[in-house]
Amino acid sequence: MKKKLAIILSAVMALSMSACSVSTSSKTTETTAAETTAAAAEAETEAAESEAEETEAEAAETEAAQSETDYPNKPINMIIPYAAGGTTDVYGRTLAAQLEKELGQSITVTNQGGASGSIGSQYVKDQASDGYTLLVCAETMGTYRVMDTADLGYDDFTVISPLVGDPKVIVVGKDSPYDTLEDLLNAISENPGKITMAHSGPGGSGHNQGLVLSALGYDVAMTSFDSGNAALLGVIGGQVDFTNPNISTLGSYIESGDVKCLAVFASERMEAYPDIPAFTETVPEAEKYVNIPYTVLSLLVNNDVPQEVVDVLKKATANVLASDEWTQFATDNCADKLYEKYTTDEEIQDFYDRWQSIVCWLQYDNGVAPNSPEDYGIARIEE
């Protein structure tokens, strides 16, 4: 617009100068006036074209800005890379229902299980990086490469937020001869390779706890089941000596008296079950292994989603996690509220780096993981 005014002003000034000039003949005066009028008309045309170009450019910029900041403007998909009914599924669906309110769009939750969650995770990675496909994953994301499960890792995604840790508890059946963690560990020491531990499969959180026991000098016979619930039922049925389920799946069995809880696999007791001792109360040297949660749930998107979209998702998720509804849900399920412990980008990155270092090197050192963490830039934390 400023350019248009400048051009018109110049034309007017030229016209004025022509009118004030002394003409030697009427013919010359008429010619000069005509030329000046034509020049002014041409100037107005150029100004109009320039204004149109500027308006078009401004519209394009506005449209581009809106395409980034009006996210989301269509329904969103959330992938749960495990079967329905498990811990990840329960938390993911609860999160989706509350995110819908914050984002103003429907969120369709789809379960795509298989290969320790890598099938569903790869599906998300293969989708457009526009923020319309979310992933709620478990901790196996951090071990895929060393376990040779898939060529995926946390660095392939952007963490919108860590969600929760689901504390794991060492339990035995109600008729077990072991009443304390010390009883169980003494039996393992006296019968190396004979006391059986059920878990849900190699590389999973339960199996990783068995590796910690091995690293601490306790030789247990690890027995794999199809799921954590199947492993627990194996203990309740007397087929296996002990296991370590997530607390979110254990409540009804504690109330019924079907299990005895010997310790929470952590360095602190749980607020909801203060009578269950922390593992480090009996084995203080385990602190370096149990100061991380072994079941970790996270909300992720592709790592090249525009920052503007990431910011919208982070703000909406933070609002959900701070809500009374979510807080009550997490508390009722005895969750370790990781989203309260790790809030800045630096804290979140440090958490995942430390988790991967401890668990991946634990797997590799015990011959469970075929690939060295070093090959993927996972440093060993100094003792």
Side-chain angles (χ1 to χ4, degrees):
M1 183 61 71
K2 289 180 180 179
K3 185 182 295 184
K4 176 185 176 183
L5 291 174
I7 293 172
I8 293 174
L9 182 58
S10 297
V12 171
M13 289 178 66
L15 180 60
S16 298
M17 291 176 65
S18 299
C20 293
S21 64
V22 179
S23 302
T24 57
S25 69
S26 60
K27 182 177 182 181
T28 303
T29 301
E30 290 173 3
T31 302
T32 302
E35 290 175 349
T36 302
T37 301
E42 184 178 353
E44 284 193 38
T45 300
E46 291 179 357
E49 291 176 349
S50 177
E51 181 182 7
E53 291 174 358
E54 290 180 4
T55 302
E56 185 177 346
E58 290 173 359
E61 291 177 3
T62 301
E63 183 179 354
Q66 288 178 341
S67 68
E68 294 174 347
T69 59
D70 70 351
Y71 170 88
N73 54 29
K74 63 180 181 179
I76 297 169
N77 294 317
M78 176 184 285
I79 302 300
I80 308 293
Y82 301 94
T87 300
T88 310
D89 182 62
V90 170
Y91 275 99
R93 289 180 181 275
T94 302
L95 177 65
Q98 296 186 39
L99 269 180
E100 285 184 334
K101 303 173 188 176
E102 286 290 327
L103 295 172
Q105 290 288 345
S106 63
I107 299 178
T108 300
V109 180
T110 303
N111 297 90
Q112 290 193 8
S116 299
S118 64
I119 292 176
S121 298
Q122 185 63 58
Y123 173 82
V124 174
K125 186 60 188 172
D126 292 340
Q127 302 311 298
S129 297
D130 54 11
Y132 287 95
T133 307
L134 311 179
L135 173 66
V136 173
C137 69
E139 71 288 338
T140 46
M141 173 64 71
T143 65
Y144 285 149
R145 288 169 177 161
V146 296
M147 289 294 293
D148 207 23
T149 304
D151 187 22
L152 286 174
Y154 283 116
D155 57 346
D156 287 306
F157 299 87
T158 293
V159 178
I160 298 302
S161 179
L163 298 176
V164 298
D166 196 355
K168 300 190 79 67
V169 181
I170 296 177
V171 301
V172 296
K174 64 181 180 180
D175 297 324
S176 170
Y178 314 121
D179 294 321
T180 66
L181 177 61
E182 186 175 12
D183 290 342
L184 176 62
L185 295 180
N186 285 340
I188 295 172
S189 296
E190 294 168 4
N191 303 277
K194 299 292 181 62
I195 305 300
T196 54
M197 187 201 86
H199 64 88
S200 61
S205 56
H207 186 241
N208 290 334
Q209 287 182 245
L211 299 182
V212 171
L213 290 175
S214 178
L216 293 170
Y218 296 100
D219 182 10
V220 299
M222 289 191 274
T223 304
S224 178
F225 283 74
D226 290 338
S227 66
N229 189 58
L232 177 58
L233 293 177
V235 169
I236 292 174
Q239 299 168 276
V240 190
D241 292 311
F242 74 102
T243 188
N244 37 34
N246 295 322
I247 190 64
S248 65
T249 65
L250 197 56
S252 62
Y253 297 106
I254 294 175
E255 292 177 8
S256 66
D258 286 325
V259 298
K260 293 186 285 187
C261 299
L262 305 187
V264 55
F265 201 75
S267 55
E268 297 178 354
R269 295 192 180 202
M270 292 181 292
E271 183 177 344
Y273 294 96
D275 294 335
I276 303 177
F279 189 83
T280 50
E281 293 177 35
T282 301
V283 190
E285 62 270 27
E287 171 67 30
K288 63 184 179 182
Y289 294 114
V290 301
N291 60 7
I292 59 168
Y294 275 76
T295 299
V296 179
L297 306 186
S298 309
L299 175 62
L300 314 178
V301 292
N302 273 340
N303 60 358
D304 49 359
V305 167
Q307 187 61 46
E308 294 82 359
V309 173
V310 170
D311 290 342
V312 171
L313 284 169
K314 284 190 173 185
K315 181 179 180 181
T317 303
N319 289 343
V320 168
L321 299 179
S323 68
D324 292 340
E325 186 177 358
W326 176 273
T327 300
Q328 188 62 55
F329 168 73
T331 300
D332 289 346
N333 283 278
C334 309
D336 183 3
K337 299 170 184 174
L338 302 180
Y339 55 89
E340 293 182 346
K341 297 180 178 179
Y342 312 104
T343 58
T344 68
D345 289 342
E346 183 178 2
E347 289 172 342
I348 291 171
Q349 186 65 54
D350 287 346
F351 166 69
Y352 286 102
D353 286 348
R354 178 172 179 77
W355 191 95
Q356 287 184 114
S357 178
I358 292 174
V359 175
C360 290
W361 281 103
L362 186 67
Q363 293 175 336
Y364 183 68
D365 290 342
N366 282 275
V368 174
N371 300 325
S372 171
E374 191 173 17
D375 294 340
Y376 305 99
I378 301 174
R380 185 191 293 272
I381 293 179
E382 297 297 330
E383 302 293 342

